[in-house]
Amino acid sequence: MKLSKRALEMNFSPIRKLIPLADAAEAKGIKVYKLNIGQPNVVTPDSFFEGLHNYKEKIVKYSHSQGIPQLLESFAKSYQKMGIDIKEEDLLITQGGSEAIMFVLMAICNEGDNVLIPEPFYSNYTSFCQFAGAEVIPIETTIETSFHLPSKDKIEALITDKTRAIMLSNPVNPTGTVYTKDEIEMIAEIAKEKDIYIIADEVYRQFVYDDIPYTSFMQLEDVKDRVILVDSISKHYSACGARIGLIASKNRELMSCIMKFSQARLCVSTIEQHAASNLINTMDNYLEDVRIKYQNRRDLLFSYLNRIPGVVCYKPHGAFYAFAKLPIDNAEKFAKWLLTDYSYENQTLLLAPGPGFYQSEGKGENEVRFSFCTSVDDIENSMIILRRALEEYNKIVG
């Protein structure tokens, strides 16, 4: 029997594809430090579970396809506290940020259209575009410029009559770059002049360090009709498994079309929406405490990486990832070797190889993404293992 071209051409997640090797290593009794994935180890706020326990209905009914009123209101209030003018009617609740991006791309792209994305980028962006029949056109950024955007003319040169949007995360997954206000305004100018959308993935917005100023695309008045904000509680509130995300836009026609997709999948989990709606009652210092924890872990990881000979890494200013160039020949080979052939004191590492975050062939061959949303002890032990592993690996490959 035949399978679809879409299914056959879809790639496995480069972040998750090494997990079977990690499972096999653990089955042999090896401790595996998992720095490959953005799964926070901080505790989910009590307010989420209070909201869960406060659900007293005797029947778990369908909810409105837009989302339950309590959750829409709580999101609107939280944005308004940050000076972002988003009202309940501008919002649509989704099953995580992933569904939000897929719905947006399906609403604005036809088969053969394209979307510009600065690379390296979150690897699943490629999969989301494939679902929508769209092509990813990478905007080149480099570690030498801390992965900031190139000039306006270089970005405009990539735009064709098939370009529907520029999509970017800010802060950036996987590099931790925080775009400046000038960069945000440059993208806004391009979008206006070329009549395209901006898909703003701001799921790491709460985690910006070193007093770096942050600008949301939704704060720019003159592009509100073409900005599509994607957000999620997964990272902000350490609730990745709850699968509550959202789309926010002032573009009524666009949101009406996305509602069709929302109605086709009926609704987001009613109970999880009730639990998430209570997060508005989370103490303000929760997010600040978590941000400080991540900043301290960022500092620790960065200090270790900086002391390993041959490693190139700039200090990330947001999210909870560092993207580093290692003194190795091939990141994929090195990551597999760590799990199949190496351990130090019965311990090894699970990393996310760089090529999985690039569309361009041959890019990221000696780069790796490190997640620092794990514990301080795990970071320290991982860096000891990494330093020794690099020495051993390079002896073998010569």
Side-chain angles (χ1 to χ4, degrees):
M1 293 184 287
K2 292 184 177 180
L3 295 169
S4 72
K5 182 181 177 184
R6 180 187 301 106
L8 293 171
E9 291 184 353
M10 183 75 67
N11 293 320
F12 287 101
S13 168
I15 301 169
R16 293 174 176 262
K17 70 180 182 180
L18 296 178
I19 288 177
L21 296 181
D23 290 344
E26 288 179 329
K28 292 188 290 186
I30 297 172
K31 167 69 176 176
V32 179
Y33 292 101
K34 296 170 182 175
L35 303 186
N36 66 310
I37 196 165
Q39 171 57 66
N41 78 326
V42 298
V43 175
T44 307
D46 289 341
S47 57
F48 180 86
F49 300 104
E50 289 164 5
L52 190 65
H53 295 310
N54 288 339
Y55 185 80
K56 302 300 183 184
E57 298 291 330
K58 299 300 183 183
I59 302 172
V60 182
K61 299 176 181 177
Y62 287 126
S63 60
H64 194 289
S65 296
Q66 183 187 1
I68 65 171
Q70 304 96 299
L71 184 55
L72 294 167
E73 181 184 3
S74 71
F75 274 127
K77 283 181 178 176
S78 67
Y79 284 116
Q80 288 158 16
K81 270 178 81 173
M82 293 180 287
I84 299 175
D85 177 29
I86 293 177
K87 299 178 175 63
E88 288 94 321
E89 59 265 29
D90 304 323
L91 293 166
L92 198 154
I93 306 303
T94 60
Q95 298 184 84
S98 298
E99 184 183 69
I101 295 172
M102 284 192 284
F103 278 3
V104 168
L105 290 169
M106 288 192 293
I108 68 173
C109 293
N110 290 313
E111 193 79 29
D113 287 340
N114 66 61
V115 177
L116 271 56
I117 310 177
E119 68 172 356
F121 53 78
Y122 174 49
S123 54
N124 279 333
Y125 284 169
T126 300
S127 299
F128 301 151
C129 285
Q130 285 177 321
F131 276 125
E135 180 187 2
V136 172
I137 303 297
I139 300 171
E140 182 181 19
T141 71
T142 66
I143 197 168
E144 288 76 19
T145 60
S146 304
F147 300 105
H148 280 279
L149 296 173
S151 62
K152 182 181 178 184
D153 61 317
K154 287 185 178 178
I155 297 174
E156 288 180 327
L158 301 171
I159 296 174
T160 70
D161 60 356
K162 291 289 187 180
T163 303
R164 294 292 169 261
I166 298 175
M167 179 162 64
L168 64 175
S169 62
N170 186 34
V172 180
N173 174 9
T175 66
T177 301
V178 177
Y179 294 127
T180 65
K181 186 177 182 182
D182 286 346
E183 287 174 294
I184 298 298
E185 290 177 342
M186 175 184 68
I187 294 296
E189 285 179 15
I190 294 171
K192 280 192 298 182
E193 292 167 8
K194 301 297 184 180
D195 192 27
I196 58 177
Y197 289 100
I198 300 166
I199 305 172
D201 181 350
E202 299 187 1
V203 302
Y204 296 97
R205 182 187 63 254
Q206 304 284 6
F207 307 126
V208 177
Y209 316 120
D210 310 314
D211 297 320
I212 298 290
Y214 182 80
T215 303
S216 169
F217 278 102
M218 289 298 288
Q219 291 172 313
L220 304 183
E221 290 292 331
D222 56 343
V223 288
K224 281 191 175 178
D225 62 329
R226 63 182 70 250
V227 172
I228 311 166
L229 176 69
V230 172
D231 208 344
S232 165
I233 69 168
S234 294
K235 312 302 182 181
H236 299 334
Y237 294 106
S238 190
C240 296
R243 310 315 302 141
I244 298 291
L246 64 84
I247 300 166
S249 176
K250 296 287 186 179
N251 189 313
R252 292 282 177 266
E253 182 182 14
L254 170 72
M255 293 296 274
S256 176
C257 286
I258 295 175
M259 177 60 82
K260 298 174 189 177
F261 303 144
S262 299
Q263 290 179 349
R265 62 90 165 101
L266 303 181
C267 69
V268 174
S269 167
T270 302
I271 295 177
E272 289 178 359
Q273 287 189 77
H274 276 274
S277 67
N278 204 46
L279 286 168
I280 192 70
N281 297 316
T282 297
M283 297 284 287
D284 286 343
N285 62 4
Y286 171 84
L287 286 170
E288 179 60 13
D289 288 347
V290 174
R291 189 190 66 79
I292 291 169
K293 280 182 183 176
Y294 288 156
Q295 180 166 316
N296 291 336
R297 295 173 190 184
R298 184 277 311 261
D299 292 344
L300 180 66
L301 177 69
F302 181 70
S303 68
Y304 270 106
L305 288 172
N306 251 3
R307 295 199 298 268
I308 299 176
V311 171
V312 178
C313 180
Y314 94 100
K315 183 181 279 190
H317 292 299
F320 38 62
Y321 307 106
F323 208 70
K325 187 179 291 186
L326 304 184
I328 51 176
D329 61 336
N330 185 285
E332 296 269 3
K333 186 169 76 171
F334 176 65
K336 289 177 182 177
W337 175 82
L338 283 169
L339 296 168
T340 58
D341 295 281
Y342 179 80
S343 67
Y344 169 69
E345 295 185 349
N346 215 36
Q347 304 168 98
T348 193
L349 307 176
L350 174 56
L351 304 175
F357 300 96
Y358 286 89
Q359 176 81 4
S360 301
E361 199 70 34
K363 291 286 189 73
E365 291 294 336
N366 59 353
E367 295 174 339
V368 166
R369 188 191 75 172
F370 296 91
S371 169
F372 54 82
C373 60
T374 186
S375 71
V376 167
D377 286 346
D378 282 3
I379 292 171
E380 289 181 332
N381 292 334
S382 296
M383 291 300 99
I384 292 168
I385 295 165
L386 177 66
R387 183 174 190 133
R388 291 176 176 273
L390 287 170
E391 293 171 357
E392 184 68 24
Y393 179 81
N394 284 316
K395 286 178 186 174
I396 295 170
V397 299

